[in-house]
Amino acid sequence: MLSHDVLVVGAGGSGLRAALAAARLGVDVAILSKVHPLRSHTGAAEGGINAAFSEQDSWENHAYDTVRESDWLADQDATEVLAQEGPAAVYELDHMGALFSRGPDGRFLLRPFGPERIPRTVFAGDTTGHVVLQTLYQQALKERLRIYEEWFVLDLVIEDGVCAGVLAYDIPGGTVQAVAAKAVILATGGAGRLYANTTNAYICTGDGMAIALRNGVPLKDMEMVQFHPTTLPGSGILITEGARAEGGYLLNARGERFMARYAPRLMEQAGRDVVSRAEQTEIDEGRGVNGCVLLELRHLGEERIKSRLAQTRELCTTYAGIDPVHEPIPVRPGAHYFMGGIHTDLTGRTTIPGLYAVGECACVSVHGANRLGGNSLLELLVFGRRAGEGAAEFARNQKGVEVPEARVRDTERELARIVSRSDGERWATLRDILADTMSREMGIFRTGNGMRHCLSVIMELKERYRRVRLDDRGRVYNYDLVSTIELGFMLDVAEAVVISGLGRQESRGAHYRRGYPTRDDANWLKHTVVHRDPEGNLHLDYLPVRITRWPPAARVY
Ligand SMILES: Cc1cc2nc3c(=O)[nH]c(=O)nc-3n(C[C@H](O)[C@H](O)[C@H](O)COP(=O)(O)OP(=O)(O)OC[C@H]3O[C@@H](n4cnc5c(N)ncnc54)[C@H](O)[C@@H]3O)c2cc1C
């Protein structure tokens, strides 16, 4: 049986950073990913990575901006760690070979991303995620880490209450494999595909979150789903916040810079939740242009667009037939990022000994109710290292672990049962209903009735899911099977999102609830925690927000 000290599930920025940290402590580390590491979604990140480098800046400023933008739901001890360890984490990546954009004096160029008060976003043109992912992957190759490429984790193995490894479908080999591990780190990314209009790739299906939930690990703040204000219609491709940071602005059909009405001080640089709601209001009230608003960049001039926003121009030309040097870009909000996820402490530990989580699938709670752009890539580095080191320390003190053979046989039988179903619906039909319903009822504006309707649709889809039919009956490279299982994960995550949203009777950050339009610190300054009982029913619980130095205050735009 395959066996390692530490097994990292996921080869995006968080998984690779965690794996490197664990390996550098001298334990045996392997990485497992359902796609080739360089296809992980971190590669899509564009705008940059935050760290307090400027002389006017400090880690306290960075932490405070993060807390304020989180609408005070972030745990302040976690944001302090993020901000304090940020510059060293970025320098470390720089020393690994990441090519960041620099000024004539050789220092990092810094962008003013969103509502940051001081420019602090380090970037590599507008392909920062690509550079981060390539750099970390090269380091993983250099360390000769074992990588199980195109292996799809189906479940965890928990023996006597301790995590002992995973069960996975080896997609090219067509077999079920057990990988025993003294510590497992889930680094499986987000779940943007729960929504129809999303910036996320088809692989972002919330697998790690669902697997954790099924094994009794709570998910935290799942109602907090960030919508990014500038995505291309149809494809959902993201136009980086860097475009507004460089001076781009938003117009409605009347040619008005409408942000003046919603955020007179910060205008287009206001928080993503604020700008997305403003755009949606303009569109809903008939001042949009074909379901979009317009992002104007022409005044920046061709040279600046070419040097700072080259990929943005290429994406617009290729996918929307628009050259931003000559025309405004039609944009609309799209589901982008899960602030919530698997509940962890500051070293990535979950409630199961030996199980860790990090990155977008986790909630160490640095983003609260609204993520500050540029903080996710930083979270991958800072907490990736911490989770890797934590898991390595844990593994060192563990005796050998094994996965019972019966678990492999049971999983083989379960897959064979799914593959052999001859009548029923296609997974894609159910996925589209799920995504449309989530977009309508759990999007930028929510209501109690809408969320209850959404929950009833999800429960009905879960019933129909039991009879999903596959067209591909083979075992090797069966993506029909992978997609079917991913849909099961998505339905579980969607239920957690809706139950959490129904619970929160206020508006905070990304959770805007009509009927409760204001933030209510007296009753709701707390984290939502959702957990599943052995019968499969979800229950809500709450945890206090950890406040260290910044008492809640109003966000002023
Ligand atoms: C278009 C876009 C632009 C962005 N721009 C920025 C930015 O400029 N700055 C910023 O800070 N943030 C940005 N973000 C957010 C940030 O990029 C992501 O939150 C972050 O990269 C997620 O990294 P991750 O390591 O958690 O997950 P991912 O990079 O998504 O990796 C997940 C990994 O898990 C694996 N996996 C998943 N499920 C399974 C399974 N069942 N079995 C095996 N493997 C599995 C996948 O194969 C993959 O390797 C952006 C996001 C998007 C979508």
Side-chain angles (χ1 to χ4, degrees), residues 9-15 32-35 40-42 44-48 113 151-153 187-190 199-200 207 238 336-337 358-361 371 374-378 380 489:
V9 183
S14 63
L32 188 156
S33 171
K34 68 179 175 179
V35 296
S40 301
H41 207 53
T42 294
E46 300 175 5
F113 229 44
W151 282 36
F152 177 58
V153 166
T188 47
T199 61
N200 284 201
D207 306 5
L238 180 111
H336 181 56
Y337 184 86
V358 70
E360 193 172 337
C361 74
R371 175 173 71 92
N375 267 354
S376 172
L377 291 179
L378 186 64
L380 310 182
F489 293 147

mmCIF file of all heavy atoms in Angstrom, residues 9-15 32-35 40-42 44-48 113 151-153 187-190 199-200 207 238 336-337 358-361 371 374-378 380 489, ligand 1:
data_model
loop_
_atom_site.group_PDB
_atom_site.id
_atom_site.type_symbol
_atom_site.label_atom_id
_atom_site.label_comp_id
_atom_site.label_asym_id
_atom_site.label_seq_id
_atom_site.Cartn_x
_atom_site.Cartn_y
_atom_site.Cartn_z
ATOM 1 N N VAL A 9 -3.372 17.052 -0.415
ATOM 2 C CA VAL A 9 -4.367 16.892 -1.478
ATOM 3 C C VAL A 9 -4.604 18.256 -2.100
ATOM 4 O O VAL A 9 -5.206 19.135 -1.486
ATOM 5 C CB VAL A 9 -5.688 16.316 -0.926
ATOM 6 C CG1 VAL A 9 -6.679 16.106 -2.076
ATOM 7 C CG2 VAL A 9 -5.439 15.026 -0.175
ATOM 8 N N GLY A 10 -4.098 18.443 -3.313
ATOM 9 C CA GLY A 10 -4.212 19.737 -3.984
ATOM 10 C C GLY A 10 -2.833 20.277 -4.304
ATOM 11 O O GLY A 10 -1.946 20.285 -3.449
ATOM 12 N N ALA A 11 -2.667 20.718 -5.554
ATOM 13 C CA ALA A 11 -1.359 21.206 -5.996
ATOM 14 C C ALA A 11 -1.446 22.639 -6.494
ATOM 15 O O ALA A 11 -0.713 23.050 -7.382
ATOM 16 C CB ALA A 11 -0.815 20.297 -7.090
ATOM 17 N N GLY A 12 -2.386 23.424 -5.932
ATOM 18 C CA GLY A 12 -2.405 24.865 -6.187
ATOM 19 C C GLY A 12 -1.365 25.534 -5.288
ATOM 20 O O GLY A 12 -0.502 24.868 -4.692
ATOM 21 N N GLY A 13 -1.475 26.849 -5.157
ATOM 22 C CA GLY A 13 -0.497 27.582 -4.355
ATOM 23 C C GLY A 13 -0.427 27.095 -2.921
ATOM 24 O O GLY A 13 0.667 26.931 -2.362
ATOM 25 N N SER A 14 -1.572 26.826 -2.309
ATOM 26 C CA SER A 14 -1.552 26.442 -0.890
ATOM 27 C C SER A 14 -0.971 25.041 -0.713
ATOM 28 O O SER A 14 -0.168 24.807 0.197
ATOM 29 C CB SER A 14 -2.957 26.517 -0.289
ATOM 30 O OG SER A 14 -3.815 25.612 -0.920
ATOM 31 N N GLY A 15 -1.369 24.119 -1.597
ATOM 32 C CA GLY A 15 -0.883 22.744 -1.472
ATOM 33 C C GLY A 15 0.615 22.660 -1.701
ATOM 34 O O GLY A 15 1.351 22.017 -0.937
ATOM 35 N N LEU A 32 -1.073 15.085 -4.134
ATOM 36 C CA LEU A 32 -2.024 14.375 -4.989
ATOM 37 C C LEU A 32 -2.984 15.417 -5.565
ATOM 38 O O LEU A 32 -3.493 16.264 -4.840
ATOM 39 C CB LEU A 32 -2.761 13.368 -4.098
ATOM 40 C CG LEU A 32 -3.676 12.344 -4.715
ATOM 41 C CD1 LEU A 32 -3.802 11.145 -3.794
ATOM 42 C CD2 LEU A 32 -5.030 12.927 -4.987
ATOM 43 N N SER A 33 -3.226 15.355 -6.882
ATOM 44 C CA SER A 33 -4.074 16.392 -7.486
ATOM 45 C C SER A 33 -4.920 15.811 -8.611
ATOM 46 O O SER A 33 -4.435 15.005 -9.412
ATOM 47 C CB SER A 33 -3.181 17.504 -8.044
ATOM 48 O OG SER A 33 -3.947 18.409 -8.805
ATOM 49 N N LYS A 34 -6.163 16.301 -8.693
ATOM 50 C CA LYS A 34 -7.041 15.751 -9.733
ATOM 51 C C LYS A 34 -6.694 16.294 -11.117
ATOM 52 O O LYS A 34 -7.173 15.762 -12.114
ATOM 53 C CB LYS A 34 -8.513 15.981 -9.391
ATOM 54 C CG LYS A 34 -9.013 17.410 -9.405
ATOM 55 C CD LYS A 34 -10.519 17.460 -9.071
ATOM 56 C CE LYS A 34 -11.027 18.883 -8.967
ATOM 57 N NZ LYS A 34 -12.465 18.945 -8.666
ATOM 58 N N VAL A 35 -5.904 17.369 -11.165
ATOM 59 C CA VAL A 35 -5.405 17.849 -12.464
ATOM 60 C C VAL A 35 -3.889 18.001 -12.350
ATOM 61 O O VAL A 35 -3.333 17.992 -11.249
ATOM 62 C CB VAL A 35 -6.023 19.205 -12.870
ATOM 63 C CG1 VAL A 35 -7.523 19.084 -13.079
ATOM 64 C CG2 VAL A 35 -5.706 20.299 -11.850
ATOM 65 N N SER A 40 -3.887 23.880 -11.826
ATOM 66 C CA SER A 40 -4.624 24.280 -10.622
ATOM 67 C C SER A 40 -5.070 25.727 -10.764
ATOM 68 O O SER A 40 -4.432 26.524 -11.461
ATOM 69 C CB SER A 40 -3.731 24.149 -9.389
ATOM 70 O OG SER A 40 -3.305 22.818 -9.261
ATOM 71 N N HIS A 41 -6.137 26.072 -10.041
ATOM 72 C CA HIS A 41 -6.759 27.361 -10.322
ATOM 73 C C HIS A 41 -5.955 28.559 -9.859
ATOM 74 O O HIS A 41 -6.222 29.689 -10.290
ATOM 75 C CB HIS A 41 -8.175 27.380 -9.748
ATOM 76 C CG HIS A 41 -9.050 28.312 -10.514
ATOM 77 N ND1 HIS A 41 -9.173 28.238 -11.883
ATOM 78 C CD2 HIS A 41 -9.778 29.364 -10.139
ATOM 79 C CE1 HIS A 41 -9.965 29.199 -12.303
ATOM 80 N NE2 HIS A 41 -10.348 29.896 -11.265
ATOM 81 N N THR A 42 -4.967 28.335 -9.013
ATOM 82 C CA THR A 42 -4.097 29.450 -8.614
ATOM 83 C C THR A 42 -3.510 30.134 -9.854
ATOM 84 O O THR A 42 -3.294 31.355 -9.859
ATOM 85 C CB THR A 42 -2.965 28.923 -7.694
ATOM 86 O OG1 THR A 42 -3.557 28.462 -6.486
ATOM 87 C CG2 THR A 42 -1.947 30.005 -7.368
ATOM 88 N N ALA A 44 -4.836 31.068 -12.375
ATOM 89 C CA ALA A 44 -5.733 32.070 -12.961
ATOM 90 C C ALA A 44 -5.626 33.422 -12.273
ATOM 91 O O ALA A 44 -6.123 34.422 -12.791
ATOM 92 C CB ALA A 44 -7.179 31.576 -12.890
ATOM 93 N N ALA A 45 -5.008 33.461 -11.088
ATOM 94 C CA ALA A 45 -4.964 34.726 -10.345
ATOM 95 C C ALA A 45 -4.195 35.763 -11.156
ATOM 96 O O ALA A 45 -3.192 35.461 -11.792
ATOM 97 C CB ALA A 45 -4.319 34.521 -8.982
ATOM 98 N N GLU A 46 -4.686 36.968 -11.126
ATOM 99 C CA GLU A 46 -4.146 37.981 -12.030
ATOM 100 C C GLU A 46 -3.454 39.125 -11.301
ATOM 101 O O GLU A 46 -2.269 39.397 -11.477
ATOM 102 C CB GLU A 46 -5.295 38.536 -12.901
ATOM 103 C CG GLU A 46 -5.976 37.463 -13.739
ATOM 104 C CD GLU A 46 -7.180 37.976 -14.509
ATOM 105 O OE1 GLU A 46 -7.454 39.188 -14.490
ATOM 106 O OE2 GLU A 46 -7.869 37.139 -15.128
ATOM 107 N N GLY A 47 -4.218 39.802 -10.438
ATOM 108 C CA GLY A 47 -3.848 41.144 -10.004
ATOM 109 C C GLY A 47 -2.664 41.263 -9.078
ATOM 110 O O GLY A 47 -1.861 42.184 -9.196
ATOM 111 N N GLY A 48 -2.512 40.374 -8.090
ATOM 112 C CA GLY A 48 -1.355 40.534 -7.222
ATOM 113 C C GLY A 48 -1.507 39.947 -5.835
ATOM 114 O O GLY A 48 -2.483 39.273 -5.521
ATOM 115 N N PHE A 113 -4.671 48.168 -4.472
ATOM 116 C CA PHE A 113 -5.743 47.230 -4.801
ATOM 117 C C PHE A 113 -6.980 47.550 -3.975
ATOM 118 O O PHE A 113 -6.926 47.557 -2.739
ATOM 119 C CB PHE A 113 -5.261 45.819 -4.435
ATOM 120 C CG PHE A 113 -5.456 44.801 -5.521
ATOM 121 C CD1 PHE A 113 -5.153 45.097 -6.830
ATOM 122 C CD2 PHE A 113 -5.919 43.530 -5.222
ATOM 123 C CE1 PHE A 113 -5.305 44.147 -7.822
ATOM 124 C CE2 PHE A 113 -6.074 42.575 -6.209
ATOM 125 C CZ PHE A 113 -5.775 42.885 -7.515
ATOM 126 N N TRP A 151 -5.069 12.178 -9.911
ATOM 127 C CA TRP A 151 -5.705 11.286 -8.941
ATOM 128 C C TRP A 151 -6.780 12.112 -8.239
ATOM 129 O O TRP A 151 -6.520 13.256 -7.848
ATOM 130 C CB TRP A 151 -4.695 10.747 -7.921
ATOM 131 C CG TRP A 151 -3.840 9.640 -8.458
ATOM 132 C CD1 TRP A 151 -3.347 9.518 -9.719
ATOM 133 C CD2 TRP A 151 -3.365 8.505 -7.730
ATOM 134 N NE1 TRP A 151 -2.587 8.379 -9.833
ATOM 135 C CE2 TRP A 151 -2.583 7.743 -8.624
ATOM 136 C CE3 TRP A 151 -3.508 8.063 -6.416
ATOM 137 C CZ2 TRP A 151 -1.960 6.556 -8.236
ATOM 138 C CZ3 TRP A 151 -2.888 6.885 -6.026
ATOM 139 C CH2 TRP A 151 -2.132 6.138 -6.941
ATOM 140 N N PHE A 152 -7.931 11.496 -8.058
ATOM 141 C CA PHE A 152 -9.114 12.226 -7.586
ATOM 142 C C PHE A 152 -9.518 11.668 -6.227
ATOM 143 O O PHE A 152 -9.943 10.507 -6.131
ATOM 144 C CB PHE A 152 -10.215 12.034 -8.641
ATOM 145 C CG PHE A 152 -11.540 12.637 -8.310
ATOM 146 C CD1 PHE A 152 -11.669 13.995 -8.055
ATOM 147 C CD2 PHE A 152 -12.689 11.855 -8.306
ATOM 148 C CE1 PHE A 152 -12.916 14.552 -7.789
ATOM 149 C CE2 PHE A 152 -13.938 12.400 -8.044
ATOM 150 C CZ PHE A 152 -14.041 13.756 -7.781
ATOM 151 N N VAL A 153 -9.387 12.481 -5.185
ATOM 152 C CA VAL A 153 -9.713 11.980 -3.844
ATOM 153 C C VAL A 153 -11.224 11.863 -3.674
ATOM 154 O O VAL A 153 -11.969 12.805 -3.974
ATOM 155 C CB VAL A 153 -9.101 12.881 -2.752
ATOM 156 C CG1 VAL A 153 -9.707 12.577 -1.387
ATOM 157 C CG2 VAL A 153 -7.602 12.663 -2.694
ATOM 158 N N ALA A 187 -6.027 20.848 0.481
ATOM 159 C CA ALA A 187 -5.723 22.152 -0.138
ATOM 160 C C ALA A 187 -6.429 22.171 -1.493
ATOM 161 O O ALA A 187 -5.819 22.404 -2.536
ATOM 162 C CB ALA A 187 -4.213 22.318 -0.297
ATOM 163 N N THR A 188 -7.738 21.919 -1.440
ATOM 164 C CA THR A 188 -8.495 21.590 -2.655
ATOM 165 C C THR A 188 -9.203 22.761 -3.308
ATOM 166 O O THR A 188 -9.965 22.570 -4.251
ATOM 167 C CB THR A 188 -9.535 20.496 -2.325
ATOM 168 O OG1 THR A 188 -10.214 20.882 -1.122
ATOM 169 C CG2 THR A 188 -8.877 19.150 -2.100
ATOM 170 N N GLY A 189 -8.981 23.988 -2.804
ATOM 171 C CA GLY A 189 -9.505 25.160 -3.504
ATOM 172 C C GLY A 189 -10.980 25.416 -3.257
ATOM 173 O O GLY A 189 -11.606 24.806 -2.386
ATOM 174 N N GLY A 190 -11.532 26.339 -4.063
ATOM 175 C CA GLY A 190 -12.879 26.856 -3.820
ATOM 176 C C GLY A 190 -13.977 26.092 -4.531
ATOM 177 O O GLY A 190 -13.775 24.977 -5.028
ATOM 178 N N THR A 199 -16.061 33.182 -12.047
ATOM 179 C CA THR A 199 -14.691 33.315 -12.552
ATOM 180 C C THR A 199 -13.927 31.999 -12.402
ATOM 181 O O THR A 199 -12.782 31.905 -12.827
ATOM 182 C CB THR A 199 -13.923 34.358 -11.718
ATOM 183 O OG1 THR A 199 -13.872 33.897 -10.362
ATOM 184 C CG2 THR A 199 -14.582 35.720 -11.769
ATOM 185 N N ASN A 200 -14.542 31.018 -11.761
ATOM 186 C CA ASN A 200 -13.832 29.785 -11.403
ATOM 187 C C ASN A 200 -13.887 28.742 -12.517
ATOM 188 O O ASN A 200 -14.891 28.626 -13.225
ATOM 189 C CB ASN A 200 -14.440 29.168 -10.145
ATOM 190 C CG ASN A 200 -14.042 29.888 -8.861
ATOM 191 O OD1 ASN A 200 -14.111 29.320 -7.795
ATOM 192 N ND2 ASN A 200 -13.622 31.147 -8.954
ATOM 193 N N ASP A 207 -14.659 20.036 -3.463
ATOM 194 C CA ASP A 207 -14.514 18.628 -3.041
ATOM 195 C C ASP A 207 -14.029 18.499 -1.592
ATOM 196 O O ASP A 207 -14.595 17.736 -0.798
ATOM 197 C CB ASP A 207 -13.500 17.885 -3.932
ATOM 198 C CG ASP A 207 -13.819 17.987 -5.413
ATOM 199 O OD1 ASP A 207 -14.764 18.695 -5.774
ATOM 200 O OD2 ASP A 207 -13.090 17.365 -6.214
ATOM 201 N N LEU A 238 -12.415 36.751 -15.563
ATOM 202 C CA LEU A 238 -12.191 37.885 -14.674
ATOM 203 C C LEU A 238 -11.366 38.981 -15.334
ATOM 204 O O LEU A 238 -10.360 38.694 -15.981
ATOM 205 C CB LEU A 238 -11.450 37.390 -13.431
ATOM 206 C CG LEU A 238 -11.154 38.474 -12.413
ATOM 207 C CD1 LEU A 238 -11.999 38.243 -11.187
ATOM 208 C CD2 LEU A 238 -9.700 38.459 -12.011
ATOM 209 N N HIS A 336 -16.924 34.422 -7.201
ATOM 210 C CA HIS A 336 -15.473 34.462 -7.347
ATOM 211 C C HIS A 336 -14.737 33.694 -6.269
ATOM 212 O O HIS A 336 -13.791 32.963 -6.551
ATOM 213 C CB HIS A 336 -15.055 35.933 -7.317
ATOM 214 C CG HIS A 336 -13.595 36.173 -7.485
ATOM 215 N ND1 HIS A 336 -12.890 35.712 -8.575
ATOM 216 C CD2 HIS A 336 -12.693 36.842 -6.717
ATOM 217 C CE1 HIS A 336 -11.622 36.089 -8.462
ATOM 218 N NE2 HIS A 336 -11.474 36.752 -7.341
ATOM 219 N N TYR A 337 -15.155 33.835 -5.017
ATOM 220 C CA TYR A 337 -14.287 33.358 -3.943
ATOM 221 C C TYR A 337 -15.113 32.968 -2.718
ATOM 222 O O TYR A 337 -16.044 33.677 -2.342
ATOM 223 C CB TYR A 337 -13.299 34.470 -3.553
ATOM 224 C CG TYR A 337 -12.305 34.024 -2.521
ATOM 225 C CD1 TYR A 337 -11.133 33.374 -2.895
ATOM 226 C CD2 TYR A 337 -12.554 34.205 -1.156
ATOM 227 C CE1 TYR A 337 -10.233 32.932 -1.947
ATOM 228 C CE2 TYR A 337 -11.658 33.764 -0.196
ATOM 229 C CZ TYR A 337 -10.505 33.125 -0.603
ATOM 230 O OH TYR A 337 -9.608 32.678 0.340
ATOM 231 N N VAL A 358 -5.990 24.080 4.239
ATOM 232 C CA VAL A 358 -5.382 25.391 3.973
ATOM 233 C C VAL A 358 -5.809 25.895 2.595
ATOM 234 O O VAL A 358 -6.181 25.114 1.720
ATOM 235 C CB VAL A 358 -3.837 25.300 4.076
ATOM 236 C CG1 VAL A 358 -3.238 24.494 2.923
ATOM 237 C CG2 VAL A 358 -3.204 26.673 4.151
ATOM 238 N N GLY A 359 -5.752 27.216 2.437
ATOM 239 C CA GLY A 359 -6.099 27.819 1.144
ATOM 240 C C GLY A 359 -7.586 28.094 1.068
ATOM 241 O O GLY A 359 -8.269 28.205 2.088
ATOM 242 N N GLU A 360 -8.078 28.171 -0.165
ATOM 243 C CA GLU A 360 -9.477 28.592 -0.318
ATOM 244 C C GLU A 360 -10.465 27.583 0.260
ATOM 245 O O GLU A 360 -11.577 27.949 0.630
ATOM 246 C CB GLU A 360 -9.781 28.883 -1.795
ATOM 247 C CG GLU A 360 -11.102 29.617 -1.937
ATOM 248 C CD GLU A 360 -11.411 30.126 -3.320
ATOM 249 O OE1 GLU A 360 -10.467 30.319 -4.126
ATOM 250 O OE2 GLU A 360 -12.593 30.343 -3.609
ATOM 251 N N CYS A 361 -10.086 26.321 0.359
ATOM 252 C CA CYS A 361 -11.028 25.343 0.925
ATOM 253 C C CYS A 361 -11.157 25.500 2.437
ATOM 254 O O CYS A 361 -12.064 24.946 3.046
ATOM 255 C CB CYS A 361 -10.625 23.910 0.575
ATOM 256 S SG CYS A 361 -9.189 23.292 1.494
ATOM 257 N N ARG A 371 -13.455 39.447 1.255
ATOM 258 C CA ARG A 371 -11.993 39.369 1.137
ATOM 259 C C ARG A 371 -11.424 40.616 0.466
ATOM 260 O O ARG A 371 -11.942 41.069 -0.555
ATOM 261 C CB ARG A 371 -11.606 38.140 0.319
ATOM 262 C CG ARG A 371 -10.118 38.037 0.042
ATOM 263 C CD ARG A 371 -9.778 36.713 -0.611
ATOM 264 N NE ARG A 371 -10.239 36.620 -1.971
ATOM 265 C CZ ARG A 371 -9.516 36.957 -3.046
ATOM 266 N NH1 ARG A 371 -8.296 37.420 -2.917
ATOM 267 N NH2 ARG A 371 -10.018 36.818 -4.254
ATOM 268 N N GLY A 374 -6.072 40.402 -3.289
ATOM 269 C CA GLY A 374 -4.628 40.268 -3.076
ATOM 270 C C GLY A 374 -4.274 39.526 -1.795
ATOM 271 O O GLY A 374 -3.119 39.165 -1.591
ATOM 272 N N ASN A 375 -5.267 39.277 -0.945
ATOM 273 C CA ASN A 375 -4.982 38.591 0.319
ATOM 274 C C ASN A 375 -5.045 37.071 0.208
ATOM 275 O O ASN A 375 -4.563 36.376 1.093
ATOM 276 C CB ASN A 375 -5.971 39.032 1.411
ATOM 277 C CG ASN A 375 -5.430 40.201 2.227
ATOM 278 O OD1 ASN A 375 -4.289 40.619 2.056
ATOM 279 N ND2 ASN A 375 -6.256 40.727 3.112
ATOM 280 N N SER A 376 -5.655 36.565 -0.867
ATOM 281 C CA SER A 376 -5.753 35.102 -0.948
ATOM 282 C C SER A 376 -4.397 34.484 -1.288
ATOM 283 O O SER A 376 -3.956 33.525 -0.643
ATOM 284 C CB SER A 376 -6.786 34.675 -1.993
ATOM 285 O OG SER A 376 -6.701 33.287 -2.168
ATOM 286 N N LEU A 377 -3.721 35.061 -2.286
ATOM 287 C CA LEU A 377 -2.402 34.508 -2.633
ATOM 288 C C LEU A 377 -1.475 34.579 -1.426
ATOM 289 O O LEU A 377 -0.676 33.677 -1.180
ATOM 290 C CB LEU A 377 -1.799 35.268 -3.822
ATOM 291 C CG LEU A 377 -2.495 35.052 -5.175
ATOM 292 C CD1 LEU A 377 -1.805 35.879 -6.264
ATOM 293 C CD2 LEU A 377 -2.496 33.580 -5.583
ATOM 294 N N LEU A 378 -1.601 35.653 -0.653
ATOM 295 C CA LEU A 378 -0.758 35.759 0.535
ATOM 296 C C LEU A 378 -1.127 34.683 1.560
ATOM 297 O O LEU A 378 -0.247 34.066 2.174
ATOM 298 C CB LEU A 378 -0.890 37.157 1.164
ATOM 299 C CG LEU A 378 0.061 37.394 2.330
ATOM 300 C CD1 LEU A 378 1.512 37.346 1.866
ATOM 301 C CD2 LEU A 378 -0.228 38.713 3.020
ATOM 302 N N LEU A 380 -2.216 31.769 0.951
ATOM 303 C CA LEU A 380 -1.666 30.476 0.508
ATOM 304 C C LEU A 380 -0.232 30.312 0.994
ATOM 305 O O LEU A 380 0.173 29.235 1.437
ATOM 306 C CB LEU A 380 -1.667 30.352 -1.020
ATOM 307 C CG LEU A 380 -2.943 30.670 -1.796
ATOM 308 C CD1 LEU A 380 -2.729 30.423 -3.282
ATOM 309 C CD2 LEU A 380 -4.107 29.848 -1.288
ATOM 310 N N PHE A 489 -20.426 16.373 -4.399
ATOM 311 C CA PHE A 489 -19.731 17.288 -3.480
ATOM 312 C C PHE A 489 -20.392 18.680 -3.520
ATOM 313 O O PHE A 489 -20.608 19.324 -2.498
ATOM 314 C CB PHE A 489 -18.253 17.427 -3.874
ATOM 315 C CG PHE A 489 -17.423 16.174 -3.686
ATOM 316 C CD1 PHE A 489 -16.362 15.878 -4.539
ATOM 317 C CD2 PHE A 489 -17.680 15.300 -2.639
ATOM 318 C CE1 PHE A 489 -15.581 14.744 -4.357
ATOM 319 C CE2 PHE A 489 -16.902 14.157 -2.452
ATOM 320 C CZ PHE A 489 -15.857 13.876 -3.314
HETATM 321 C C1 LIG B 1 -9.678 34.500 -11.981
HETATM 322 C C2 LIG B 1 -9.147 34.636 -10.579
HETATM 323 C C3 LIG B 1 -8.252 35.643 -10.267
HETATM 324 C C4 LIG B 1 -7.740 35.768 -8.975
HETATM 325 N N1 LIG B 1 -6.828 36.750 -8.706
HETATM 326 C C5 LIG B 1 -6.310 36.842 -7.450
HETATM 327 C C6 LIG B 1 -5.306 37.810 -7.155
HETATM 328 O O1 LIG B 1 -4.891 38.590 -8.007
HETATM 329 N N2 LIG B 1 -4.827 37.845 -5.889
HETATM 330 C C7 LIG B 1 -5.251 37.011 -4.899
HETATM 331 O O2 LIG B 1 -4.775 37.102 -3.779
HETATM 332 N N3 LIG B 1 -6.192 36.066 -5.174
HETATM 333 C C8 LIG B 1 -6.720 35.953 -6.419
HETATM 334 N N4 LIG B 1 -7.657 34.996 -6.683
HETATM 335 C C9 LIG B 1 -7.992 34.005 -5.653
HETATM 336 C C10 LIG B 1 -6.879 32.962 -5.571
HETATM 337 O O3 LIG B 1 -6.279 32.787 -6.821
HETATM 338 C C11 LIG B 1 -7.416 31.588 -5.116
HETATM 339 O O4 LIG B 1 -8.205 31.749 -3.976
HETATM 340 C C12 LIG B 1 -6.262 30.675 -4.779
HETATM 341 O O5 LIG B 1 -5.345 30.606 -5.844
HETATM 342 C C13 LIG B 1 -6.728 29.271 -4.423
HETATM 343 O O6 LIG B 1 -5.583 28.476 -4.212
HETATM 344 P P1 LIG B 1 -5.703 27.039 -3.563
HETATM 345 O O7 LIG B 1 -4.338 26.499 -3.476
HETATM 346 O O8 LIG B 1 -6.495 27.125 -2.314
HETATM 347 O O9 LIG B 1 -6.581 26.209 -4.593
HETATM 348 P P2 LIG B 1 -6.386 25.897 -6.162
HETATM 349 O O10 LIG B 1 -5.296 26.667 -6.787
HETATM 350 O O11 LIG B 1 -7.754 26.020 -6.745
HETATM 351 O O12 LIG B 1 -5.944 24.392 -6.170
HETATM 352 C C14 LIG B 1 -6.806 23.357 -5.779
HETATM 353 C C15 LIG B 1 -6.086 22.042 -5.987
HETATM 354 O O13 LIG B 1 -6.852 20.995 -5.404
HETATM 355 C C16 LIG B 1 -6.925 19.917 -6.301
HETATM 356 N N5 LIG B 1 -8.164 19.178 -6.001
HETATM 357 C C17 LIG B 1 -9.396 19.664 -5.806
HETATM 358 N N6 LIG B 1 -10.257 18.665 -5.530
HETATM 359 C C18 LIG B 1 -9.539 17.525 -5.550
HETATM 360 C C19 LIG B 1 -9.850 16.160 -5.360
HETATM 361 N N7 LIG B 1 -11.099 15.732 -5.084
HETATM 362 N N8 LIG B 1 -8.849 15.248 -5.473
HETATM 363 C C20 LIG B 1 -7.592 15.640 -5.770
HETATM 364 N N9 LIG B 1 -7.238 16.913 -5.964
HETATM 365 C C21 LIG B 1 -8.206 17.845 -5.848
HETATM 366 C C22 LIG B 1 -6.887 20.539 -7.678
HETATM 367 O O14 LIG B 1 -6.435 19.605 -8.630
HETATM 368 C C23 LIG B 1 -5.878 21.662 -7.447
HETATM 369 O O15 LIG B 1 -4.564 21.167 -7.604
HETATM 370 C C24 LIG B 1 -8.179 34.876 -7.973
HETATM 371 C C25 LIG B 1 -9.098 33.864 -8.287
HETATM 372 C C26 LIG B 1 -9.588 33.749 -9.567
HETATM 373 C C27 LIG B 1 -10.597 32.691 -9.856
#
